[in-house]
């Protein structure tokens, strides 16, 4: 048994766990494990309510596979429907108990404590359930503690849902912006998609985090957003640009940065950085700022490679499409000159995955 002091300490630890972890599943796992220890239960489960099917889906249940149960049955269902805590001291002699789950899992439920998880507007988010109090039955004190933990849990679920929605919206806006830039160009959306996918692949090989891989895949397609600021006369010129025209063309990097940069949005910050740096060269001879080596961000160094590879293997108003092998040969020749040699090695190692994207998304 824990003392009140120890119980308070454990509750305070929750705050730290929630703030440190981004993944909802891992927060819920920690919550369930803490709750089990603190109220001396054999097992704790967190169910999330699915309004589409009117079911409760177990997110965390120690040692057993996820289950779906009707939100209108069983003690968890009662807690969800009534939005009140339910304590059951002898499951098999209680009308609220639904033995179907035990039949499936082979578990023998004796006592149950079920607390509803409610959002700020008192809508049901799920149920926090503890099973089989060790050597005893659940008390009102256990119920109070689980209620407290459930308040934390409910806000973690609510925050995660909001975060998902926000990210969804951001992704949509960014994809729309990418299409807008393409509209100006004569190229297909396949081109921007390929640059995103090649970049994600290279980021993964380089060992960037999942979040960074996702970010580059999403934002690399916008590297040429600044081309909407370049006159069609130059953009669509069938032949070679003269020096003055090429100087104008070069401004698309800074224009793209200015267009995309947003202090409050990490995706748009990365998108802006990529737009700014995608024509910098490893040896310092690129534009607009002549950055050299690792002065160019990893995102800029990656997209420098994937953009040129895709430009070479595509038809442009001013050039024919090079073959797959010719383009790889060019990257190899430019290793340490135009491109980061470490990244070129990784890109060439991934030749077959690159070829798969190249074949799948042909113009
Ligand atoms: P882009 O067509 O997307 O090309 C991106 C980059 O791929 C180019 O950046 C260049 O580094 C590489 N690249 C593309 N085609 C070739 C090629 O035939 N040979 C070689 N060695 N590299 C190639 P860059 O040069 O900074 O050009 C930026 C953008 O300026 C190009 O984007 C394109 O929109 C435009 N541009 C460049 N040169 C010409 C040109 O001669 N005529 C026209 N109409 N546009 C051009
Ligand atoms: C785009 O279509 O926006 C990208 C064009 C390019 O990379 O050449
Ligand atoms: C230029 O036309 O001056 C340079 C363009 C290029 O080489 O891609
Ligand atoms: C990063 O891991 O995000 C940057 C590493 C690098 O610039 O090489
Ligand atoms: Fe560009
Ligand atoms: Fe490009």
């Amino acid at each position: 048994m824990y003392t009140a002091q120890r119980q308070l300490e454990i509750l305070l630890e929750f705050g730290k766990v929630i703030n440190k972890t981004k993944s909802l599943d891992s927060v819920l796992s920690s919550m369930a494990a803490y709750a089990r220890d603190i109220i001396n239960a054999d097992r704790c489960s967190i169910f999330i309510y699915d309004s589409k099917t009117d079911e409760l889906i177990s997110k965390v249940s120690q040692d057993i596979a996820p289950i779906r149960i009707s939100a209108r049955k069983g003690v968890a269902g009662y807690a969800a429907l009534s939005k009140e805590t339910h304590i059951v001291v002898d499951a098999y002699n209680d009308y609220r108990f639904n033995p179907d789950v035990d039949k499936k899992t082979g578990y023998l439920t004796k006592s149950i404590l079920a607390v509803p998880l409610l959002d700020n507007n008192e809508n049901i988010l799920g149920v926090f359930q503890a099973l089989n109090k060790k050597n005893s039955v659940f008390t009102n004190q256990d119920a109070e503690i689980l209620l407290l933990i459930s308040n934390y849990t409910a806000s973690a679920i609510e925050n995660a849902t909001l975060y998902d929605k926000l990210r969804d919206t951001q992704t949509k806006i960014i994809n729309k912006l990418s299409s807008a830039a393409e509209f100006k160009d004569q190229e297909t959306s396949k081109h921007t998609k390929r640059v995103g996918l090649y970049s994600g692949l290279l980021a993964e090989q380089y060992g960037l985090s999942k979040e960074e891989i996702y970010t580059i895949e999403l934002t690399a397609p916008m590297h040429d957003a600044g081309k909407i600021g370049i006159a069609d006369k130059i953009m669509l010129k069938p032949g070679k640009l003269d020096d003055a025209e090429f100087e104008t063309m070069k401004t698309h990097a800074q224009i793209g940065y200015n267009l995309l940069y947003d202090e409050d949005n990490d995706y748009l910050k990365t998108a802006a950085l990529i737009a700014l740096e995608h024509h910098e060269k490893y040896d310092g001879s690129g534009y607009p700022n002549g950055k050299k080596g690792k002065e160019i961000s990893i995102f800029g160094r990656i997209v420098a490679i994937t953009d040129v590879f895709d430009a070479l293997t595509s038809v442009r108003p001013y050039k024919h499409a090079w073959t797959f092998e010719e383009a790889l040969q060019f990257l190899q020749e430019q290793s340490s000159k135009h491109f980061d040699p470490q990244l070129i090695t990784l890109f060439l190692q991934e030749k077959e995955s690159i070829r798969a994207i190249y074949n799948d998304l042909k113009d």
Side-chain angles (χ1 to χ4, degrees):
M1 267 305 234
Y2 287 105
T3 62
Q5 173 63 32
R6 178 69 190 128
Q7 286 176 348
L8 187 63
E9 278 169 24
I10 293 178
L11 283 178
L12 289 175
E13 279 172 35
F14 281 145
K16 289 189 208 148
V17 174
I18 302 173
N19 288 337
K20 252 194 299 201
T21 341
K22 266 202 182 147
S23 141
L24 179 62
D25 283 354
S26 63
V27 171
L28 297 184
S29 289
S30 315
M31 298 258 180
Y34 278 128
R36 182 189 54 193
D37 291 350
I38 200 171
I39 61 178
N40 232 353
D42 180 53
R43 187 174 275 188
C44 270
S45 313
I46 295 172
F47 294 92
I48 304 282
Y49 179 60
D50 179 357
S51 60
K52 286 196 200 99
T53 60
D54 200 26
E55 284 176 318
L56 292 166
I57 302 159
S58 73
K59 271 288 171 195
V60 192
S61 26
Q62 287 108 23
D63 312 324
I64 54 170
I67 47 172
R68 290 176 159 267
I69 53 176
S70 162
R72 313 211 157 255
K73 275 169 92 177
V75 179
Y78 268 94
L81 267 181
S82 66
K83 300 182 183 177
E84 277 168 4
T85 297
H86 285 253
I87 298 180
V88 167
V89 295
D90 180 7
Y92 279 86
N93 285 308
D94 194 299
Y95 70 97
R96 291 166 293 182
F97 180 62
N98 170 17
D100 292 351
V101 178
D102 273 9
K103 273 185 206 138
K104 264 189 229 154
T105 61
Y107 189 75
L108 182 62
T109 302
K110 292 173 198 152
S111 56
I112 307 172
L113 169 58
V115 176
L117 298 166
L118 303 174
D119 71 10
N120 275 332
N121 301 318
E122 302 276 301
N123 296 312
I124 190 79
L125 292 171
V127 174
F128 206 133
Q129 179 177 266
L131 296 181
N132 292 3
K133 172 93 173 179
K134 289 188 180 147
N135 310 319
S136 153
V137 292
F138 292 110
T139 62
N140 283 333
Q141 203 209 347
D142 293 329
E144 275 170 36
I145 293 168
L146 196 59
L147 195 63
L148 209 56
I149 297 173
S150 294
N151 288 339
Y152 279 96
T153 308
S155 61
I157 295 170
E158 233 186 333
N159 286 343
T161 311
L162 287 176
Y163 179 77
D164 280 354
K165 275 196 192 136
L166 189 66
R167 187 163 162 146
D168 219 49
T169 309
Q170 285 181 333
T171 305
K172 280 200 188 114
I173 291 171
I174 285 175
N175 286 334
K176 279 186 199 304
L177 258 171
S178 300
S179 329
E182 261 162 46
F183 198 71
K184 170 82 190 181
D185 232 328
Q186 74 295 349
E187 290 144 23
T188 66
S189 67
K190 283 185 185 161
H191 162 69
T192 55
K193 264 195 204 124
R194 283 190 307 257
V195 171
L197 291 174
Y198 293 143
S199 300
L201 195 70
L202 196 45
E204 191 178 354
Q205 289 312 306
Y206 184 77
L208 294 191
S209 69
K210 272 211 170 106
E211 181 65 25
E212 287 167 318
I213 296 166
Y214 173 78
T215 301
I216 198 168
E217 217 175 280
L218 182 69
T219 57
M222 288 188 279
H223 64 275
D224 274 334
K227 282 182 176 175
I228 59 174
I230 307 294
D232 283 351
K233 186 172 86 56
I234 298 177
M235 273 300 308
L236 304 179
K237 183 172 175 178
K240 199 163 164 53
L241 301 179
D242 66 30
D243 288 353
E245 288 166 336
F246 191 60
E247 284 310 308
T248 303
M249 179 52 103
K250 282 175 169 178
T251 62
H252 81 280
Q254 186 69 51
I255 294 171
Y257 178 86
N258 298 347
L259 187 72
L260 293 168
Y261 188 84
D262 186 317
E263 180 61 45
D264 299 323
N265 186 306
D266 287 342
Y267 295 131
L268 289 176
K269 272 190 192 166
T270 303
L273 187 63
I274 289 173
L276 184 67
E277 293 183 337
H278 74 284
H279 289 294
E280 297 289 0
K281 297 186 179 179
Y282 200 72
D283 65 8
S285 68
Y287 64 86
N289 296 314
K291 286 186 189 171
K292 200 173 171 166
K294 302 271 159 98
E295 285 166 22
I296 311 161
S297 75
I298 183 64
F299 300 108
R301 280 178 279 142
I302 288 174
V303 177
I305 294 170
T306 57
D307 177 37
V308 170
F309 177 75
D310 202 73
L312 292 178
T313 51
S314 304
V315 179
R316 291 284 194 267
Y318 64 98
K319 63 175 276 295
H320 70 276
W322 297 21
T323 68
F324 186 83
E325 295 296 338
E326 283 168 346
L328 288 185
Q329 181 65 34
F330 180 81
L331 297 188
Q332 175 84 71
E333 280 163 26
Q334 289 293 320
S335 182
S336 301
K337 295 177 201 154
H338 190 154
F339 308 116
D340 178 344
Q342 187 191 349
L343 289 173
I344 290 298
T345 303
L346 293 172
F347 196 81
L348 296 176
Q349 274 170 9
E350 281 306 302
K351 188 168 156 179
E352 291 319 313
S353 314
I354 303 290
R355 197 196 299 278
I357 297 168
Y358 170 84
N359 285 330
D360 276 4
L361 284 169
K362 262 195 186 324
D363 284 321

